[in-house]
Amino acid sequence: MQRACELRRTEGMTLLDYLNVLARHKLLVGVVTLLVPAAALYFTLGQQPRFEATAEVLLSRQDLASALTSVPNPNGDILPERFTSTQARLARVPEVAQRAVAEAGVADRTAEDLLESSTVSGDATTDILVFTVTDSDAAVAIALAEAYAVQFTEYRHELETASLGAARTEVDERLTELRAAGSKRSRLYKNLLEKRRELEVLEALQTASSSVIQRPAEAEQTRPRPLRALAFAVPLGILLALALAVVTHLLDTRVWSAPEIAQRLKLRLLGRVPDLPRRFRPRDRLIMLNRPGSPRAGVFRVLRANLELANRTHAASTIMFTSARSDEGKSMTVANLAVALARAGKDVVLIDLNLHEPAIEGLFRLKDRAGMTEVLAGAVEFEHAVKDVPVRSTQSSRRAKGAASGFEVGGRLRVLPAGTLSGTLADVAGTAAVSDVLDRAKDAADVVLIDTPPLLGGADAIALSAQVEAVVLVTRARKAR
């Protein structure tokens, strides 16, 4: 997370920028990527176990009796797909299911249960029906699948021989009637007796037109199957996470980086200031006073150098610091910059004009001291309200003689806090009294830095911008919108 004071422009997004989008939403990506497989695994393991057993039946359309007797085969002209579909529908009649349940010896299953938990399928390229039974018990699934296939073959054979048996029975009844009438020597009796012999031959030649060619040896577990669920859920979770990251990025109006702000505001970048750890107390946030030799203090030296370089063409001596929101580190930045300028030999006056939420007095331990509000009210003179703040540490004092070699030489820093009347004054930003104070500060110092209210907090910052010579915008990445 960084604060950008003024920003430089950048070109279009690169591949690295798109990768940064994923990095910004890494928590969302990680949570969704893990949550989807976890949910799938939880749901899968909570399923009741199911086992599937299959048996196969070969269908035959050859009719030996028709071939020997030269009688046309009734199944010979049926299209293959129609024949297979018809036999599959025939296997779904309730009587076949009832016979299968009875033969399997399963007491707690009914024919309706078998029909609901089974399928019979075939295709036009083969004359094979596949009987599939699913059950919570593997042994029951195997027994029902085998019994279902066997009973179908027997039921189909019964249907095919039933017409011959009915015809023979009818001939027997007619022969009995002729014998009772004493017409055994009649021509009709002899013809009927010949027909009965032919029917007996046809019945003997009528072989089964279907047979079980594969019995179920084992039942395959169809659920739960956690590995298959994970194989499907992991890619789905990744795709969903990436999609959510992109959608979140498109809907997120926050500014994530200095280059992004540069594209929108067209400002020059003066420096980037990293956030201080939360363990730092307010007075410890003055890194330039408390830890001037730390790497964090070096950031403000860079900011000071960049500000002086940018100010060469403008020669501005009154510079206000503002931000869009009140929590973007504006006061901490301007306070440390004031110390950095003073340690570089500048005569600096730091003024707190954020009268509604003053922060400078807390950073420099100047609470309950007369300040800007007292000067504006005429209760205290400007010269008596400003407070001198020592900026040269013991180390810098010992090195003062080495300034020519590049060491910092202490200047002067004076701070004008908001004062004790900050809650009673309002709408003073654009008044002549404020302009007069700024003029007096400008005459008394090399540089005047002004901490002002945020732009979105009211009209004070806009009014003050007309009374200064330069404006520095401080913004916090991932906060500004």
Side-chain angles (χ1 to χ4, degrees), residues 217-230:
E218 59 181 12
E220 179 184 1
Q221 183 172 348
T222 58
R223 67 180 191 188
R225 301 181 69 176
L227 293 181
R228 184 174 65 176
L230 287 177

Side-chain angles (χ1 to χ4, degrees), residues 96 139 159 223 298 364:
V96 176
L159 291 179
R223 67 180 191 188
F364 289 95

Side-chain angles (χ1 to χ4, degrees), residues 397-419:
S397 299
R398 291 195 300 265
R399 294 181 175 178
K401 297 180 181 180
S405 301
F407 294 104
E408 291 180 337
V409 178
R412 185 182 184 187
L413 173 60
R414 285 170 289 175
V415 178
L416 181 61

Side-chain angles (χ1 to χ4, degrees), residues 51-72:
F51 299 89
E52 183 179 279
T54 59
E56 294 182 357
V57 172
L58 175 63
L59 303 175
S60 175
R61 286 185 286 176
Q62 294 181 351
D63 192 338
L64 181 59
S66 298
L68 294 177
T69 59
S70 299
V71 177

Side-chain angles (χ1 to χ4, degrees), residues 348-459:
V348 183
V349 171
L350 174 60
I351 300 177
D352 191 353
L353 268 175
N354 189 3
L355 303 182
H356 299 289
E357 296 180 350
I360 298 298
E361 59 187 24
L363 292 171
F364 289 95
R365 304 181 188 181
L366 297 176
K367 288 187 177 182
D368 301 325
R369 300 285 186 92
M372 187 66 177
T373 54
E374 283 77 10
V375 174
L376 294 176
V380 179
E381 292 294 330
F382 171 78
E383 291 76 9
H384 297 98
V386 293
K387 305 296 187 296
D388 274 288
V389 176
V391 296
R392 295 181 62 187
S393 63
T394 303
Q395 181 182 12
S396 62
S397 299
R398 291 195 300 265
R399 294 181 175 178
K401 297 180 181 180
S405 301
F407 294 104
E408 291 180 337
V409 178
R412 185 182 184 187
L413 173 60
R414 285 170 289 175
V415 178
L416 181 61
T420 60
L421 305 178
S422 57
T424 63
L425 296 180
D427 300 328
V428 299
T431 62
V434 172
S435 180
D436 181 63
V437 172
L438 295 181
D439 289 339
R440 297 174 66 179
K442 179 179 178 180
D443 295 337
D446 299 326
V447 181
V448 179
L449 302 182
I450 308 162
D451 185 21
T452 65
L455 294 171
L456 300 181

Side-chain angles (χ1 to χ4, degrees), residues 39-49 224:
L41 187 62
Y42 176 80
F43 176 77
T44 301
L45 294 178
Q47 293 178 328
Q48 182 182 8

Side-chain angles (χ1 to χ4, degrees), residues 13 21 46 71 74 102 165 209 241 260 280 311 327 341 349 373 408 434 441:
M13 290 185 67
V21 171
V71 177
S209 58
E260 188 176 352
F280 278 57
N311 198 30
D327 57 348
L341 287 169
V349 171
T373 54
E408 291 180 337
V434 172

